[in-house]
Amino acid sequence: MVTALAQLPAEFLSALRSLRAAVGRPELRLQEIPAPARLAPYAVALEAEVLDSAAPSANDAGRSDDPGAGPELATGRFILLHDPEPPAVWQGTFRIVTYIRARLEPEMAEDALLGSVAWTWLVEALEKHGADYTAAGGTATRVLSESFGTLEGRRESIDIELRASWTPMSSGVKTHLEAWADMVCAFAGLPPLPDGVSPLPRRRD
């Protein structure tokens, strides 16, 4: 492990230390997962989920060892890439790539502003945490799921997905992870949110 760390660029090691210093949220379960190998020479990836503590999951029914386990309200991935010789489009040696998905009420599918609201959360969360960045881009998608055959008894579901990436201005990426954590919780309908923005309605199971 020590040998592996010694082979990492100093700038990437600094970024890893910065991530470890990030302040977590109690509603958010965060864990490291294998990072994609082809996007950059150096990468680290985190996965997050927000569970509905008020609704125990079917798998945990009757159990008392995990009282906070319940249906997922939102999930996401946070990937930090580092390339000492980056693509020009990055405009820096780091790139953050993120994904967030949350279940919505079916009536929300017709909201024409849904995508722009999701993007606004990204921008305002970064600004709120003082996370300096450039070259931001992203896509908001509504996903309609219908079930057929033996699963036709399930009702339709609507998910919102936000895929976004941006370039942090330094290896101090702590504030970027904290902003992203707020975004995942916002997608789950949990406070706090940027001033003037209302949470998405939680799904009714």
Side-chain angles (χ1 to χ4, degrees):
M1 181 66 176
V2 174
T3 301
L5 290 174
Q7 294 174 348
L8 296 177
E11 195 175 14
F12 188 60
L13 283 173
S14 175
L16 294 179
R17 288 192 293 268
S18 183
L19 288 179
R20 285 197 293 268
V23 178
R25 290 191 51 156
E27 311 97 326
L28 197 71
R29 293 188 177 183
L30 192 64
Q31 64 179 350
E32 186 173 351
I33 59 174
R38 298 183 179 181
L39 298 181
Y42 308 97
V44 62
L46 302 171
E47 183 177 63
E49 61 179 359
V50 178
L51 302 180
D52 187 355
S53 60
S57 66
N59 292 335
D60 293 326
R63 291 175 52 186
S64 60
D65 58 331
D66 191 8
E72 290 180 352
L73 296 177
T75 59
R77 291 190 299 272
F78 179 99
I79 303 172
L80 176 65
L81 308 174
H82 176 59
D83 191 340
E85 298 180 359
V89 68
W90 284 17
Q91 300 182 29
T93 58
F94 287 98
R95 188 72 175 170
I96 292 173
V97 179
T98 67
Y99 166 82
I100 303 174
R101 180 170 181 148
R103 182 69 52 84
L104 302 175
E105 293 298 329
E107 56 267 24
M108 290 292 294
E110 303 302 323
D111 188 343
L113 298 178
L114 186 59
S116 61
V117 167
W119 179 253
T120 297
W121 284 352
L122 166 66
V123 174
E124 294 192 355
L126 291 171
E127 291 178 351
K128 174 184 175 183
H129 285 268
D132 293 332
Y133 69 95
T134 189
T139 302
T141 306
R142 308 171 210 209
V143 181
L144 170 64
S145 298
E146 299 179 85
S147 300
F148 303 94
T150 59
L151 301 179
E152 66 181 358
R154 296 182 179 180
R155 69 170 190 164
E156 293 182 355
S157 63
I158 302 293
D159 286 13
I160 176 70
E161 293 182 349
L162 179 65
R163 300 174 186 270
S165 61
W166 63 91
T167 296
M169 302 302 291
S170 72
S171 61
V173 291
K174 169 181 177 288
T175 53
H176 295 263
L177 180 56
E178 291 172 345
W180 177 80
D182 273 356
M183 290 165 52
V184 178
C185 290
F187 269 64
L190 302 178
L193 294 172
D195 293 339
V197 178
S198 300
L200 295 174
R202 294 189 185 185
R203 72 175 188 263
R204 296 186 296 270
D205 292 312

